Amino acid sequence: MSRRSLAIVSVLPLGLLAACANMPMEVASAPPPMPAPAPSVAAPVAPDRARALFIAEQREEAKRLEGTGALSSARQHWRYVQALLPDDGEARQQIARLDGVIRTRRDAALAQGEAAMMRGQTAAAQTAFLRVLALDGANDQARRRLLELETRAAFQRQDRKDERARAARAAGMELPEGESP
């Protein structure tokens, strides 16, 4: 680069800077003042009314569900009431009463299921253990018994299939693999 080009290149930024310095500057005006906030008003009554309405609906739903026999769901609705009103005596009493009823019915259904299993009444046993799970969905004993019943039924189905295949072979009718008589 020649000396002359170098001089022009180095003077050019200084000239631009000087030109900017001579420009009139606009001073940004301050934003218009915000209107004063309205004086604070007492909280609306609606949330308390909505809460009271929700609690009343939960009480009614709990009673309706208990009438249909859905005791666990009824208990859950009473628990909602108790969560919102911890000192509510009716909710506490209903939860305790439903706990007792559920426990009694659960134990009776477990005993019925065990007795039906001992008698070999698979359908009755399954019905009883399903009733237990409807009352107490976390009951491990009922879950294990239902799994045991299903396993027994699978073995019985396989035994019947094997017996049919043996009978077919004995009669001289060999069946292709996977085909049942």
Side-chain angles (χ1 to χ4, degrees):
M1 192 183 264
S2 71
R3 230 178 222 225
R4 182 179 164 110
S5 300
L6 188 60
I8 291 175
V9 170
S10 53
V11 172
L12 184 61
L14 291 175
L16 290 175
L17 185 63
C20 288
N22 291 331
M23 288 181 65
M25 303 235 350
E26 281 186 36
V27 177
S29 62
M34 297 295 290
S40 107
V41 181
V45 180
D48 287 338
R49 183 172 178 183
R51 182 176 184 219
L53 181 62
F54 177 78
I55 291 169
E57 288 172 354
Q58 296 308 306
R59 288 179 195 275
E60 289 303 314
E61 184 67 7
K63 291 172 185 174
R64 187 189 70 74
L65 287 168
E66 185 177 354
T68 65
L71 301 180
S72 296
S73 296
R75 181 185 183 280
Q76 187 61 43
H77 284 274
W78 282 115
R79 299 272 305 171
Y80 295 152
V81 172
Q82 187 180 35
L84 292 171
L85 299 172
D87 296 331
D88 187 64
E90 181 186 11
R92 189 179 311 111
Q93 180 184 18
Q94 292 295 335
I95 291 168
R97 185 184 61 75
L98 285 171
D99 282 344
V101 171
I102 290 170
R103 190 174 25 261
T104 301
R105 290 187 183 179
R106 179 199 63 209
D107 293 345
L110 275 172
Q112 289 171 353
E114 294 291 339
M117 276 184 76
M118 298 302 256
R119 292 188 306 269
Q121 298 173 334
T122 304
Q126 285 176 329
T127 301
F129 291 131
L130 287 172
R131 210 171 325 121
V132 170
L133 290 177
L135 291 166
D136 178 10
N139 190 287
D140 288 333
Q141 184 179 356
R143 288 178 190 273
R144 283 193 309 271
R145 291 301 194 195
L146 283 170
L147 182 60
E148 183 180 335
L149 288 169
E150 183 57 35
T151 303
R152 282 184 189 179
F155 278 118
Q156 288 172 350
R157 284 190 301 271
Q158 186 62 45
D159 288 344
R160 285 192 302 271
K161 183 178 177 183
D162 292 345
E163 184 60 36
R164 285 192 303 267
R166 280 192 293 277
R169 274 194 300 271
M173 304 180 344
E174 188 65 34
L175 297 175
E177 185 65 32
E179 191 174 309
S180 62

